[in-house]
Amino acid sequence: MSEPIIAVERVTKQVRDSTGVLTILHDIDFSLAPQESVAIVGASGSGKSTLLSIIAGLDTPTTGTVRLGGTDIFALDEDARAAVRAERVGFVFQSFQLLGNLTALENVMLPLELQGRNDARKQATEMLQRVGLGERLNHYPKVLSGGEQQRVALARAFVVKPAVLLADEPTGSLDFATGETVMALMFQLNREEGATLVLVTHDRSIAARCDRQVRIEAGRIVT
């Protein structure tokens, strides 16, 4: 059996506020195989997005750790964690997170340029063509529809050929039909590229398309 690409090990997250200590995540423990897809589901406030941020190394657990491809990411300093993310992790967010002063092409080129790739323009152009935006390369986000912006975000996530794709409510800002189109594209790209997909969603139909579901209630895994 192959080593898990992601191993979440006894992760707890606590924060302190004016009322005392609030535990957001309680002893979360699960692993994912390479190329597996999992939906993290649960009500608003259950801890789903916090868990995704910890898997990404963007937030730190109070106890426990996350291993990415066998590497304990919280044994690394912030710069080293950022380097691991840049090389191995792609992100898709509900709010797209595109840079408004860059064109669609420049947004997709950016992660490749940060890696020092000299083929960034070629690879970004090809990826935008794959998501159906070959005619929109030089358009800025403000003139793109929500669905087009999310397809740019998908292209940006997949262009680095990540081992892991993390998606946080990727259809949350889209109407139903556009969301369906974007999700079909995400699953298609994921199959073709062979990444492990971790998807936070409220949408049961989207969750059902994943290999399995991890349900969180009040910060605990219940399934």
Side-chain angles (χ1 to χ4, degrees):
M1 186 174 177
S2 61
E3 179 182 51
I5 185 67
I6 297 171
V8 180
E9 301 177 351
R10 309 295 295 270
V11 162
T12 294
K13 178 66 176 181
Q14 296 176 321
V15 296
R16 185 176 293 277
D17 63 15
S18 59
T19 62
V21 175
L22 174 65
T23 301
I24 300 172
L25 296 172
H26 299 258
D27 203 27
I28 302 292
D29 201 87
F30 69 94
S31 61
L32 289 172
Q35 301 184 29
E36 190 175 10
S37 60
V38 64
I40 300 174
V41 298
S44 294
S46 59
K48 305 185 304 297
S49 292
T50 298
L51 176 57
L52 198 73
S53 292
I54 289 173
I55 292 171
L58 295 169
D59 195 0
T60 56
T62 304
T63 61
T65 197
V66 174
R67 297 183 188 276
L68 179 59
T71 299
D72 181 348
I73 63 174
F74 295 109
L76 307 174
D77 62 24
E78 288 190 19
D79 288 344
R81 278 204 302 276
V84 169
R85 278 196 299 273
E87 181 180 344
R88 309 204 67 185
V89 181
F91 297 92
V92 180
F93 300 96
Q94 176 178 340
S95 55
F96 318 134
Q97 300 286 353
L98 300 179
L99 296 177
N101 62 331
L102 299 182
T103 64
L105 179 60
E106 290 166 342
N107 266 283
V108 180
M109 287 172 61
L110 185 59
L112 296 171
E113 291 175 328
L114 292 173
Q115 290 182 353
R117 297 272 295 271
N118 57 16
D119 62 344
R121 181 172 295 274
K122 177 176 181 292
Q123 293 297 325
T125 299
E126 290 177 358
M127 185 57 71
L128 283 165
Q129 289 170 341
R130 284 179 67 182
V131 301
L133 293 176
E135 303 300 315
R136 307 288 250 171
L137 301 180
N138 297 312
H139 289 68
Y140 289 91
K142 66 181 180 182
V143 299
L144 299 176
S145 69
E148 287 172 333
Q149 289 186 61
Q150 196 59 298
R151 281 189 278 160
V152 174
L154 282 177
R156 181 182 59 188
F158 279 105
V159 76
V160 296
K161 300 189 181 302
V164 175
L165 179 71
L166 304 178
D168 191 0
E169 298 283 4
T171 62
S173 297
L174 306 175
D175 63 72
F176 177 79
T178 304
E180 285 287 295
T181 300
V182 165
M183 288 311 304
L185 180 59
M186 176 183 287
F187 281 109
Q188 176 190 337
L189 287 171
N190 202 60
R191 285 193 305 271
E192 292 171 356
E193 298 296 331
T196 296
L197 173 63
V198 184
L199 172 67
V200 166
T201 184
H202 284 97
D203 190 317
R204 292 181 180 180
S205 66
I206 292 173
R209 296 170 71 173
C210 294
D211 296 328
R212 63 186 169 108
Q213 299 179 32
V214 172
R215 179 169 294 279
I216 297 181
E217 291 181 6
R220 300 180 189 274
I221 292 180
V222 293
T223 55

